[in-house]
Structures are given as structure tokens and as C-alpha cells.
Amino acid sequence: MTDAIDIVIPWVDGNDPVHSAKRLKHTTENEGNLEDVGGSSRFSSIGEIFYCILSINRSARFVRKIFIVTDGQDPHIGEELSAMLPEGMIPMEIVDHKVIFRGYEEYLPTFNSRAIEAMIWRIPGLSERFILMNDDFIITGNVGPEHFFQGEKTVCYAKMFPTWWAKLMRMLRPSINGHKRISFKDSMINAVDIMGGSDRFMFLGHTPRALRKSFYEHFFAGREDVMLRNIRHKFRHSDQYNSQELFYISEYKKGRCIVRNTSDSLIYLKPKNRKGYIDRKLAMFDTRPDAVFCCVNALSLASAEDQEKVMRWVRDRLIRNDGHDHR
């Protein structure tokens, strides 16, 4: 068990009418209108998880098990994946929010990725060393355990960022209609403060994140108030922190964190209304063999043409022209 490495993927199909109705029931008008809090694009799905899990099976065969964390849903992709992987599939298991929130069911339902991520270490049977991935992450080149763990050290894909500068930028960020946008970086700044401060922090990239279960078991054992600070919010809130950053700061202070520059390993695609943007991004993979991670962020917001272009590229890269027309 100590050598095992599992992958955890929180997933939601926001197009599911049951889930949409549940979300609408718990969303105030203000939350629903704020894209950084409860906007619909935060829950959209156009089948990215299929390619995410296919990429793990193609390029990360060392993984023992894949856990998909959901709210009463199932992506129903096992049969199709099995047909595409004659060499055998990495086992998958669906884990409901009720399982990881056991004892804290009063905070369900939740539509908040930061709340969910703060509880995934509670998955029954999860390996000590595990990797957290989003469903829009794709592994595009062969990776091994050493891409994530090296002995007692953990690999973190990030850029070191000065804390004082991040706090200044947050303070100077303008409010729009009384709301100050909640940024990805804000959650990391909050984690820095929880961990007692630091001159610099790891500005995490949109890559898989290597973590250790025992850190969270010990950390939250004496800090239930910190755990509640994240899980009590059904939608994203400025008070929340990035739970992975807690771990990386702790490991960095102990000299057990290997920081690798995100841009060396990641190609990040985000819909932009710029001619040729997608073509230029995809072309990068031919010139950057070390870029083994890809994040296709908010693809549902891209034009139909760009969506098809990206998904065609993903299919060609992962299916490897096996003669079958999958999706």
C-alpha cells in the first residue's frame, strides 16, 4: 500500500437536469450571476472526463486506482474505455460526496470544488500517496511515479511567487458592482496565512497535484475549524483556501518539496477570441516534448469550431489511429 499511487478526480455533469435543479434550489440570484462564484460554466461538461481517464490509462500505467468523486452521478464511460484498452483498464471507483462528507452531511449538497478538495483525503482505501486531477487535465506524454514523488519528496508544478506582491494585487483589485472577483491566487494566499506566513508561495499550475493523505489526517485532526472554513460554503467564497497549497507550503518549509516550473511541463488552453490561438497552442506540442500535461480549461465556452478542433486533436493523440471511431 505504501508504494501505491491513486488518482482522484472530482467530477460533475452540470447539464444533468437533476443536478441543475438541485444547484438552482441552493443558489441565490447573486451567486448565480457571478461567474467566479456559481456561474454555469463552473459545472459544464462536454465529455472531457472520458479523455482525461483515457490519457491516464495510456500514459500513467503505474496508477493503482482512479477514484471519481461525484454527487450522485456516474459518467458511464467504463464500457467504452474497456473496449479501447485491450491491455486492461486501471480500476475505477465512483465515490459519492456523502462518503467523504460522512459526519459532516449538514454541509451537503455542495457545489464548491474547494470544499470537495478539502475532503478527498477521506476516501476509504485511498493510498497514502495520491494525485489530484481535474477532469479537464490530460496527460499527453508518458509519465512515471518520479514525475510526482521522489523518495520522501513531493514534486510540485508551480512558480514561486512573492506573497507581498500577491496581497498587494488582491488589495488593489477593483470591485465591480460591489463584488471583488475571487481569483485562483487568492485561495493560495489564504493558505499561506493559515500556515503561518511565508515570503513566497507556490503559484500552482493547472497540472496534476501530488499529495499525501497523512498530512491531511494530522493537519485537520487538530484544526477542525480550518476544515469547516472551506466546507461550510456551498459556492466559492473569498474566505476559502487551496488545500493543496497547505500541503506544499508545509513540505517546502521542511525541504521536502521539489518545485518544477509549470510552463516547462504544461500547455494550457483557454478559450480566447483570437484568430489562430488554438492552432498555435496545439502546435506547441510538436516543439515541446517535455510538456506532458495539458489543461483544456472551460472548453464549453469556446466556439463550436474551436471545440471540435481541440477534441479532434485529443482524439488523434490518445486514440492513436486504432481504426475505431470513438466519440
Side-chain angles (χ1 to χ4, degrees):
M1 188 71 172
T2 55
D3 293 332
I5 300 176
D6 295 334
I7 282 183
V8 179
I9 307 172
W11 174 77
V12 61
D13 178 7
N15 302 320
D16 173 14
V18 175
H19 186 274
S20 295
K22 185 189 299 186
R23 192 171 74 244
L24 183 62
K25 178 181 178 181
H26 292 276
T27 309
T28 66
E29 182 178 355
N30 187 48
E31 289 170 333
N33 290 332
L34 296 172
E35 193 55 46
D36 58 322
V37 177
S40 59
S41 70
R42 306 203 65 81
F43 313 97
S44 63
S45 172
I46 58 172
E48 297 96 331
I49 192 170
F50 176 85
Y51 297 104
C52 173
I53 294 179
L54 177 60
S55 77
I56 297 168
N57 277 275
R58 291 290 198 202
S59 303
R61 294 296 300 181
F62 65 89
V63 172
R64 184 193 68 145
K65 195 171 189 178
I66 300 169
F67 292 97
I68 303 172
V69 179
T70 76
D71 179 12
Q73 297 183 316
D74 187 331
H76 298 293
I77 57 177
E79 185 175 339
E80 188 170 2
L81 282 170
S82 180
M84 294 180 63
L85 298 164
E87 69 274 22
M89 278 177 55
I90 296 171
M92 293 190 302
E93 181 178 332
I94 304 292
V95 180
D96 195 83
H97 289 179
K98 293 176 182 176
V99 174
I100 61 174
F101 277 77
R102 59 191 181 279
Y104 298 92
E105 291 88 352
E106 63 192 283
Y107 299 103
L108 293 177
T110 184
F111 311 95
N112 189 329
S113 60
R114 289 177 186 162
I116 296 163
E117 289 171 0
M119 303 295 269
I120 58 172
W121 59 275
R122 306 177 89 233
I123 294 173
L126 180 66
S127 59
E128 161 62 11
R129 300 185 300 168
F130 68 96
I131 300 166
L132 173 66
M133 289 180 62
N134 290 353
D135 66 345
D136 57 5
F137 291 176
I138 298 170
I139 302 175
T140 59
N142 289 331
V143 297
E146 69 278 3
H147 282 80
F148 306 99
F149 302 97
Q150 295 186 12
E152 292 301 311
K153 295 186 177 183
T154 304
V155 179
C156 172
Y157 294 91
K159 295 179 181 179
M160 298 305 297
F161 205 92
T163 304
W164 71 269
W165 181 244
K167 289 187 173 183
L168 178 62
M169 287 194 296
R170 178 171 63 178
M171 183 178 69
L172 297 178
R173 188 183 308 140
S175 297
I176 300 176
N177 297 325
H179 173 71
K180 184 173 286 193
R181 183 178 60 83
I182 304 170
S183 78
F184 184 45
K185 197 184 288 105
D186 291 345
S187 65
M188 299 175 211
I189 301 172
N190 291 342
V192 171
D193 291 339
I194 290 170
M195 298 303 290
S198 177
D199 292 338
R200 299 188 300 164
F201 66 95
M202 282 66 76
F203 184 12
L204 303 177
H206 289 72
T207 63
R209 293 172 195 153
L211 304 166
R212 292 182 186 267
K213 180 171 67 174
S214 58
F215 166 80
Y216 296 100
E217 290 174 337
H218 297 145
F219 182 83
F220 286 127
R223 299 177 179 88
E224 187 182 44
D225 59 322
V226 177
M227 187 171 71
L228 295 178
R229 175 173 166 176
N230 255 23
I231 70 174
R232 69 180 177 224
H233 299 289
K234 292 192 179 299
F235 295 91
R236 190 160 290 190
H237 192 277
S238 60
D239 191 45
Q240 290 184 299
Y241 54 87
N242 184 295
S243 55
Q244 301 104 66
E245 187 74 25
L246 296 178
F247 170 69
Y248 290 130
I249 291 172
S250 174
E251 294 298 281
Y252 186 75
K253 288 182 175 181
K254 296 172 184 174
R256 297 201 304 237
C257 184
I258 301 171
V259 181
R260 289 186 176 169
N261 194 307
T262 307
S263 59
D264 293 338
S265 304
L266 169 72
I267 292 181
Y268 180 60
L269 285 78
K270 188 170 185 177
K272 294 183 184 294
N273 293 321
R274 292 209 299 258
K275 187 176 181 180
Y277 167 79
I278 291 295
D279 291 322
R280 288 193 298 273
K281 282 285 188 175
L282 295 180
M284 288 182 180
F285 283 96
D286 294 328
T287 59
R288 291 178 50 193
D290 292 336
V292 293
F293 303 130
C294 175
C295 176
V296 186
N297 186 259
L299 186 60
S300 62
L301 298 180
S303 67
E305 180 184 357
D306 280 348
Q307 283 188 32
E308 175 54 29
K309 191 174 293 184
V310 171
M311 298 313 286
R312 188 188 316 121
W313 176 86
V314 171
R315 288 193 294 267
D316 289 345
R317 194 172 184 93
L318 296 181
I319 296 172
R320 300 175 181 173
N321 301 316
D322 64 356
H324 296 91
D325 181 17
H326 302 286
R327 296 204 169 197

